[in-house]
Amino acid sequence: LHRNGQFDQALDLYSRLLTARPQSATADSMHLARARLLAQVGRSTDAVEELGRLDASPLSPVAGRLAGDILFEGGRFGDAVQMYSPLIESPESGRTVHARRALALFRLDRLKEARRAAAEFSKRFGDDSPWSLVFRLEEGRFRLRHREFDRALKLFREIEKDAPESPMSLAEFEETDATLRHMASAPAVAAAYFASTVLWEQNRTDPAEELAGAALAAQLDFVDRFPG
């Protein structure tokens, strides 16, 4: 039914089947399918609640990851970290669980934990993926949020120098978020953009003619180097 867009009917069918046969061999799979469908129609809270029914199931790791993803994509980073954390010791947890947990910690302003999670990611999966630069960009954004302008600018300028000139491969980058994919494929562009943002925010916080000129020059340079 859901393949034909009949979402309400599909949800109702799952509910009736689970009510009629709560202990059936396929019950856990139906809970998982129903949760995915709830998330698809935007009922994320109901989806996470549905996945909570699988805590004692062999499907618990799959349910935990899906719940974490739903929470992360909904901006509920604290709850996402709680879901991801028990999964990271599993050899099957995969890159995305580790990466999203680190990102969530950055966005929660839990910098020490975030840096540690990023280091653990690199130790486990290597430094050759786009994630290592994405984590550094996220730290720069943390510095910017906290008005640590000099440290943020230094970090973004370093990323510009370290990032490859050609677009990075996203073959092993499972993220669907458009902003994250852009940051991963073109980290130098992202770093240059954030660097110009730092200068604008610094001048807005503490206006000065020299700083305003630097901010304008950085923006014009960005547009010139990365047209379109």
Side-chain angles (χ1 to χ4, degrees):
L1 290 171
H2 67 274
R3 292 176 183 171
N4 297 324
Q6 298 175 289
F7 301 125
D8 289 339
Q9 294 91 326
L11 287 169
D12 182 63
L13 177 59
Y14 281 132
S15 295
R16 286 190 282 112
L17 290 170
L18 287 164
T19 299
R21 304 182 64 187
Q23 304 301 323
S24 74
T26 60
D28 288 354
S29 295
M30 284 193 286
H31 280 299
L32 193 62
R34 188 170 188 274
R36 285 191 170 117
L37 185 54
L38 286 165
Q40 188 177 344
V41 299
R43 293 170 58 184
S44 58
T45 300
D46 292 337
V48 172
E49 183 178 338
E50 189 79 19
L51 292 164
R53 301 175 189 275
L54 299 174
D55 284 347
S57 164
L59 293 178
S60 177
V62 177
R65 173 172 175 168
L66 179 56
D69 288 344
I70 292 168
L71 293 164
F72 180 90
E73 290 164 12
R76 294 169 59 184
F77 299 122
D79 292 332
V81 168
Q82 286 188 323
M83 285 294 176
Y84 287 140
S85 292
L87 305 176
I88 60 173
E89 298 303 324
S90 168
E92 292 141 13
S93 57
R95 290 171 180 257
T96 301
V97 167
H98 288 259
R100 283 189 161 190
R101 180 173 176 272
L103 284 179
L105 289 166
F106 276 118
R107 293 175 183 183
L108 289 166
D109 291 345
R110 291 159 59 176
L111 182 61
K112 289 184 180 179
E113 293 173 84
R115 296 182 77 178
R116 185 163 56 247
E120 289 168 356
F121 178 95
S122 296
K123 183 178 179 180
R124 182 164 182 171
F125 299 106
D127 286 322
D128 57 346
S129 78
W131 278 116
S132 60
L133 290 169
V134 170
F135 293 145
R136 291 170 67 190
L137 287 166
E138 285 291 330
E139 180 172 347
R141 296 175 77 184
F142 165 87
R143 303 289 182 193
L144 175 56
R145 284 196 300 276
H146 288 263
R147 298 187 177 185
E148 298 177 23
F149 297 122
D150 291 341
R151 298 180 75 173
L153 185 61
K154 182 175 183 290
L155 184 51
F156 290 135
R157 293 303 191 204
E158 288 173 351
I159 295 169
E160 279 190 80
K161 292 178 182 177
D162 295 342
E165 293 183 7
S166 56
M168 297 187 73
S169 169
L170 299 185
E172 296 183 350
F173 194 80
E174 299 175 3
E175 279 295 339
T176 57
D177 179 84
T179 300
L180 277 174
R181 289 184 70 82
H182 179 73
M183 288 167 61
S185 66
V189 178
Y193 170 78
F194 289 130
S196 66
T197 302
V198 169
L199 292 168
W200 276 112
E201 287 299 313
Q202 189 173 15
N203 183 64
R204 192 167 67 86
T205 302
D206 187 16
E209 184 175 345
E210 183 178 349
L211 195 54
L216 179 59
Q219 188 166 34
L220 292 173
D221 179 63
F222 176 82
V223 172
D224 183 58
R225 289 167 58 200
F226 307 110

